[in-house]
Amino acid sequence: GAGVSQSPSNKVTEKGKDVELRCDPISGHTALYWYRQRLGQGLEFLIYFQGNSAPDKSGLPSDRFSAERTGESVSTLTIQRTQQEDSAVYLCASSLLGGSAYNEQFFGPGTRLTVL
Amino acid sequence: EDQVTQSPEALRLQEGESSSLNCSYTVSGLRGLFWYRQDPGKGPEFLFTLYSAGEEKEKERLKATLTKKESFLHITAPKPEDSATYLCAVLSLLGTYKYIFGTGTRLKVLA
């Protein structure tokens, strides 16, 4: 079956521009996560959606970052007024259940963002 | 503060040379420990979930174990195709559920 997909795979933008990154989770997965991975670093949690509950935004690094999710489907991560330090791979993951030990996350291939 | 530390940062092995990767954690309310494999340019791929101390899981040449303070990923007779970054993550509950990832171990297996 189809896995988690993300688009675009690569994005090059100029400092100060806004970007939108898209994630299509696995159908039926109620939980969706966004992470940031800088070169040579681990995964940095950004935001977590679980069903219709209010998202956990505690990992968003600044108010330039926001995310939305339509029901239990597509999610969009928006970065406004991009800065060079925003350059990273942005990973999306989904899982069948959220907040439970009885699930694993399935990751998309990521979007590589480069801010010039 | 919840923390996950992986060691070594990088490891080079000859094909067939068994070794172990370490994941040490300090976390409140552990709800699970996860191992992932990440190949260059790709998202992490799930390997194992461990829930309680003493638990072990195996898959091909990999075996994951868990104690109250750390987890080991044992690699037996590795092959070049096992070369990847191995990530450890914990799921904690402190008010809200949170996944915390380590920075990974970059494994290179030489033929």
Side-chain angles (χ1 to χ4, degrees):
Chain A
V4 178
S5 61
Q6 292 186 244
S7 61
S9 56
N10 282 284
K11 177 71 177 179
V12 179
T13 190
E14 293 180 350
K15 179 181 173 180
K17 301 283 189 183
D18 297 352
V19 295
E20 281 191 357
L21 312 180
R22 177 187 168 105
C23 172
D24 284 88
I26 293 172
S27 178
H29 280 195
T30 63
L32 186 146
Y33 313 79
W34 282 99
Y35 295 90
R36 178 169 69 179
Q37 187 174 34
R38 290 195 168 111
L39 188 64
Q41 302 294 312
L43 274 67
E44 177 187 358
F45 167 79
L46 297 177
I47 189 169
Y48 160 52
F49 295 89
Q50 171 59 56
N52 293 318
S53 302
D56 176 357
K57 304 180 181 181
S58 59
L60 294 178
S62 77
D63 59 8
R64 297 187 294 105
F65 288 72
S66 63
E68 294 183 348
R69 187 182 187 192
T70 306
E72 294 185 351
S73 60
V74 172
S75 176
T76 302
L77 177 69
T78 301
I79 308 173
Q80 295 179 309
R81 306 181 301 282
T82 52
Q83 304 294 313
Q84 289 183 331
E85 62 262 29
D86 298 334
S87 296
V89 174
Y90 290 82
L91 290 161
C92 173
S94 69
S95 66
L96 185 59
L97 299 172
S100 164
Y102 297 93
N103 74 91
E104 63 265 22
Q105 299 178 62
F106 294 84
F107 284 84
T111 293
R112 181 175 299 278
L113 174 66
T114 303
V115 182
L116 301 176
Chain B
E1 180 182 346
D2 292 347
Q3 198 167 10
V4 176
T5 303
Q6 291 188 249
S7 62
E9 290 187 9
L11 181 63
R12 290 167 69 93
L13 299 174
Q14 291 294 322
E15 184 172 4
E17 180 186 1
S18 301
S19 188
S20 296
L21 313 182
N22 177 265
C23 172
S24 298
Y25 62 90
T26 305
V27 65
S28 305
L30 179 72
R31 290 295 182 267
L33 185 141
F34 304 80
W35 282 98
Y36 291 85
R37 169 190 171 130
Q38 186 173 25
D39 292 295
K42 296 187 177 181
E45 176 187 347
F46 170 77
L47 293 173
F48 302 109
T49 308
L50 302 166
Y51 302 116
S52 57
E55 188 174 1
E56 298 183 353
K57 294 271 180 77
E58 284 190 67
K59 179 179 179 181
E60 296 180 352
R61 294 178 292 281
L62 301 177
K63 183 168 84 171
T65 62
L66 181 65
T67 73
K68 289 186 178 180
K69 295 183 179 180
E70 58 191 349
S71 176
F72 291 95
L73 184 65
H74 306 278
I75 305 178
T76 302
K79 298 181 178 181
E81 54 261 42
D82 295 322
S83 298
T85 296
Y86 290 86
L87 296 169
C88 168
V90 297
L91 176 61
S92 73
L93 174 58
L94 187 63
T96 183
Y97 286 97
K98 193 89 51 161
Y99 285 92
I100 304 164
F101 279 81
T103 54
T105 294
R106 295 188 310 278
L107 173 66
K108 178 74 173 177
V109 182
L110 304 173

